[in-house]
Amino acid sequence: MNKSKIAILLGVVCMVLTFVMCIQLKTIDVANKTVASSFSENRLRDEVLKWKDRYEEVYNEVQIEEAKLEKMRKKATENDDAAAATREKLKIANRLLGFTELTGKGVEITLDDNKLQSVDGTTTGNVLDYIVHDDDLIQIINDIKNAGVDAIAINDQRIVSTTGIACDGNVVRINKEKVSAPYVIKVIGSPEGIMGALTTPGTCFDTLDKLGLVKSVNKSNSVIVPKYEGIIELEYMKPVE
């Protein structure tokens, strides 16, 4: 065989080998890509499953915490209702005890000494009969209480359960504070009931009126009774356990 035929044969063989190698490389590349793609998909699938499990876990935790929060809300609402009821009871108690300034319909009465010592200007009887005494104030307050009133004050001294009214020289002590004539008695309650209790013949108010010591009586829809400014001290009383 001559050299030219050998060269041609070698060339053909080289071409065939080159073609075969190209096909093999292409096949390997495609296989690698397929394997890589499959690996990537599997890894992504694993990540998705892992996050799905984590999501479900967190969701369940959130549901549990929401249930706890709802219980707390209900409990807080119940506590708010109880606290509101307690506050309302305290308000009512403070009103009854005298620790709250009040207003409402009632009567304002002014008592003062009769310096003329008689209604018509003539001097008759004992001069002490024409002076407003502590006993007079006590009796009038008792008569007013019989009318079922809500609040009473004398010269802005609130009358409470521990109030004392006593003579101190030429003045009167009320709640340990000195007050003097004229005495302005403010009462919250039914005006008709108050006047009915006071003006019954034979009452202290009726007697003082005849002596000229009742200076004015005014019914009003907006009587203001101030709150008690002192401290109620309960020395002997205590709750039964």
Side-chain angles (χ1 to χ4, degrees):
M1 182 179 296
N2 55 32
K3 292 182 179 180
S4 60
K5 289 182 178 181
I6 294 172
I8 292 171
L9 180 60
L10 289 173
V12 171
V13 171
C14 288
M15 290 179 60
V16 170
L17 290 174
T18 301
F19 179 73
V20 170
M21 290 177 65
C22 288
I23 292 175
Q24 287 180 341
L25 290 173
K26 184 68 174 178
T27 301
I28 292 171
D29 183 58
V30 171
N32 288 338
K33 288 183 179 179
T34 301
V35 172
S37 176
S38 177
F39 177 77
S40 178
E41 289 177 358
N42 290 335
R43 186 174 63 181
L44 181 61
R45 189 180 299 110
D46 292 339
E47 288 291 327
V48 170
L49 292 175
K50 183 174 70 174
W51 282 108
K52 182 180 179 183
D53 292 340
R54 179 57 181 162
Y55 169 79
E56 292 177 351
E57 181 182 348
V58 172
Y59 179 79
N60 291 332
E61 291 178 357
V62 170
Q63 291 295 101
I64 294 172
E65 295 301 323
E66 281 287 348
K68 291 180 181 178
L69 183 60
E70 184 61 25
K71 289 182 180 179
M72 293 175 64
R73 288 197 191 101
K74 290 182 179 179
K75 188 175 182 180
T77 302
E78 293 173 357
N79 290 339
D80 286 345
D81 293 340
T86 301
R87 286 194 295 270
E88 187 60 29
K89 289 180 181 179
L90 287 174
K91 287 181 181 179
I92 295 173
N94 284 334
R95 292 171 191 167
L96 295 175
L97 291 172
F99 293 129
T100 304
E101 184 179 53
L102 300 176
T103 183
K105 66 179 182 178
V107 177
E108 291 190 11
I109 305 163
T110 301
L111 306 177
D112 198 0
D113 300 336
N114 186 352
K115 298 177 176 59
L116 298 176
Q117 298 184 9
S118 71
V119 177
D120 57 9
T122 61
T123 302
T124 58
N126 189 345
V127 66
L128 295 178
D129 292 338
Y130 299 94
I131 296 175
V132 180
H133 299 280
D134 55 332
D135 291 340
D136 299 325
L137 296 176
I138 292 172
Q139 187 58 56
I140 288 176
I141 293 303
N142 288 336
D143 291 339
I144 289 174
K145 287 181 178 180
N146 290 334
V149 299
D150 294 339
I152 308 171
I154 302 178
N155 287 16
D156 290 336
Q157 289 297 320
R158 181 73 171 266
I159 305 301
V160 296
S161 60
T162 58
T163 294
I165 300 176
C167 181
D168 187 358
N170 60 345
V171 296
V172 174
R173 282 189 180 271
I174 302 177
N175 292 329
K176 299 180 180 180
E177 297 293 331
K178 290 183 179 182
V179 297
S180 58
Y183 300 103
V184 180
I185 304 174
K186 298 179 181 180
V187 189
I188 294 178
S190 168
E192 293 74 18
I194 295 168
M195 295 310 303
L198 290 176
T199 58
T200 301
T203 61
C204 181
F205 181 87
D206 180 55
T207 301
L208 295 182
D209 191 25
K210 291 177 180 178
L211 292 172
L213 304 182
V214 178
K215 300 305 178 181
S216 65
V217 178
N218 298 310
K219 297 179 181 180
S220 174
N221 289 325
S222 57
V223 175
I224 297 176
V225 174
K227 66 180 180 180
Y228 178 67
E229 298 289 352
I231 299 174
I232 296 179
E233 297 179 353
L234 304 176
E235 185 177 355
Y236 304 102
M237 183 175 65
K238 62 181 181 179
V240 177
E241 298 179 356

